[in-house]
């Protein structure tokens, strides 16, 4: 089972999070049929989407992350909600299939943007935005946290593959400052995370708690309750019906005339919803 462990360091001056999202990344690949290169980039960003939505407490809070670079994978979209329940898709899931060792930045691209929308059910959602640094995902998100959320962060994520190209492990470590954090503490923590160049190997060999205990255990530390990330889509026939209603009766009728039905596929989970003439009449009835 996937898990996210978090520990407060130095009596509340910083927080370290470590995630194992292996099952979540496998589920995403099962749905989307990612190439190895695509699965690597997607799994790294999915780790960060799970991390970002883990802090959501209330039902209905929604995270959207759009990684839009000029790489072979095209646009990646992630959505999350409380408890690190995430989903996502990529424009070109089979990109670089002939090159399993392609760099993450070849999938993501080096030029582009990272946009984050956090909807807390208030009038205006929070919108954050930054330019990509180098398409490595770790540096791009670290820069986003620093610039857009004013949280200078250290990020290391990784996806490990077995000999057959299957996902053996996926996850990562994120360190963020909390109020009262000094530059000294931050530099020390960043140095530790900078050491995690082998995050793919590390997440395959150790549990998130072991990674935290091993590298951060000698600091004053208190562990928080774990969170259990999972790939979950909350699409439903009712939601698709509501979307059809927004199209308006005339537009819906003309689609029925043309194709005899309205077929809507969910980008996140691949589920197909089909509405025939009767169904459409009921929506507008
Ligand atoms: Zn769905």
């Amino acid at each position: 089972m996937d898990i996210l462990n978090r520990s407060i360091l130095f009596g509340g001056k910083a927080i370290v999070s470590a995630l194992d999202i292996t099952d979540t990344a496998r589920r995403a690949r099962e749905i989307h049929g990612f190439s190895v290169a695509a699965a690597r980039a997607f799994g790294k960003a999915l780790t960060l989407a799970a991390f970002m939505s883990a802090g959501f407490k209330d039902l209905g809070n929604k995270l959207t992350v759009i990684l839009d670079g000029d790489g072979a994978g095209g646009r990646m979209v992630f959505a999350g909600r409380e408890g690190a329940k995430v989903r996502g898709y990529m424009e070109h899931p089979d990109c670089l299939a002939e090159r399993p060792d392609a760099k993450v930045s070849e999938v993501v691209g080096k030029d582009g943007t990272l946009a984050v929308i956090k909807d807390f059910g208030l009038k205006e959602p929070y919108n954050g935005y930054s330019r990509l640094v180098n398409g490595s995902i770790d540096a791009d998100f670290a820069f986003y946290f620093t610039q857009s959320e004013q949280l200078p962060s250290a990020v290391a994520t990784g996806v490990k593959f077995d000999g057959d190209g299957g996902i053996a492990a996926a996850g990562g470590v994120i360190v963020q400052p909390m109020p009262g954090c000094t530059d000294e503490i931050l530099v020390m923590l960043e140095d530790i995370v900078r050491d995690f160049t082998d995050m793919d190997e590390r997440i395959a060999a150790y549990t998130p708690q072991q990674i935290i205990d091993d590298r951060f255990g000698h600091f004053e530390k208190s562990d928080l309750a774990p969170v259990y990330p999972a790939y979950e889509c909350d699409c439903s026939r009712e939601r698709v019906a509501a979307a059809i209603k927004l199209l308006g009766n005339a537009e819906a009728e003309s689609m029925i005339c043309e194709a005899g039905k309205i077929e809507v596929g969910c980008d996140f989970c691949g589920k197909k919803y089909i509405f025939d003439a009767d169904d459409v009449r009921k929506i507008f009835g």
Side-chain angles (χ1 to χ4, degrees):
M1 192 189 348
D2 288 349
I3 191 164
L4 159 58
N5 288 113
R6 287 176 293 190
S7 299
I8 304 282
L9 304 174
F10 305 103
K13 292 193 171 69
I15 180 166
V16 55
S17 307
L19 303 89
D20 177 346
I21 64 144
T22 306
D23 290 342
T24 307
R26 283 181 181 149
R27 179 77 190 113
R29 193 179 192 190
E30 211 172 82
I31 293 167
H32 299 295
F34 294 132
S35 64
V36 170
R40 184 181 294 113
F42 195 87
K44 284 167 72 71
L46 192 63
T47 300
L48 287 149
F51 161 74
M52 290 169 88
S53 50
F56 287 1
K57 297 229 164 28
D58 295 329
L59 280 172
N61 288 358
K62 277 182 243 151
L63 169 79
T64 307
V65 176
I66 302 163
L67 193 54
D68 200 358
D70 60 351
R75 208 155 93 113
M76 285 185 234
V77 178
F78 302 89
R81 56 183 181 80
E82 83 288 345
K85 302 300 183 271
V86 288
R87 58 196 200 276
Y89 61 88
M90 182 192 281
E91 207 175 343
H92 305 298
D94 55 353
C95 66
L96 302 167
E98 68 293 353
R99 290 182 43 226
D101 291 329
K103 280 189 185 154
V104 171
S105 60
E106 293 180 73
V107 177
V108 176
K110 292 187 174 174
D111 194 23
T113 56
L114 173 57
V116 174
I117 303 145
K118 293 181 186 174
D119 186 348
F120 298 112
L122 307 169
K123 257 188 198 157
E124 291 290 325
Y126 162 88
N127 279 290
Y129 170 93
S130 64
R131 295 214 61 90
L132 298 184
V133 176
N134 57 16
S136 69
I137 292 182
D138 290 356
D140 304 312
F141 277 78
F143 181 66
Y144 161 79
F145 289 130
T146 304
Q147 201 206 34
S148 201
E149 300 193 7
Q150 285 80 51
L151 287 171
S153 308
V155 176
T157 61
V159 178
K160 166 133 176 107
F161 294 88
D162 58 30
D164 301 323
I167 294 175
V173 170
I174 299 102
V175 173
Q176 291 192 319
M178 292 173 78
C181 189
T182 61
D183 287 349
E184 198 186 2
I185 289 176
L186 203 58
V187 167
M188 188 158 59
L189 295 175
E190 279 171 355
D191 277 348
I192 294 174
V193 177
R194 198 166 298 130
D195 242 21
F196 291 167
T197 48
D198 58 343
M199 199 61 226
D200 52 338
E201 301 289 345
R202 207 174 282 261
I203 201 69
Y206 304 101
T207 66
Q209 189 65 57
Q210 283 171 333
I211 294 174
I212 291 178
D213 291 346
D214 177 39
R215 301 308 301 272
F216 302 91
H218 57 295
F219 300 127
E220 180 195 344
K221 170 173 97 63
S222 66
D223 299 337
L224 299 178
V227 177
Y228 301 98
Y231 196 101
E232 277 185 19
C233 190
D234 56 358
C235 68
S236 68
R237 197 169 166 83
E238 289 69 37
R239 284 193 186 194
V240 177
I244 292 172
K245 194 161 191 176
L246 284 178
L247 285 176
N249 202 353
E251 177 68 20
E253 284 295 342
S254 93
M255 286 167 83
I256 290 284
C257 275
E258 257 171 50
K261 62 181 177 181
I262 299 176
E263 191 176 315
V264 181
C266 175
D267 288 333
F268 291 103
C269 71
K271 209 184 251 177
K272 291 223 178 331
Y273 297 93
I274 295 167
F275 292 77
D276 63 16
D278 270 356
D279 298 327
V280 170
R281 223 167 286 135
K282 267 179 219 150
I283 291 173
F284 293 99

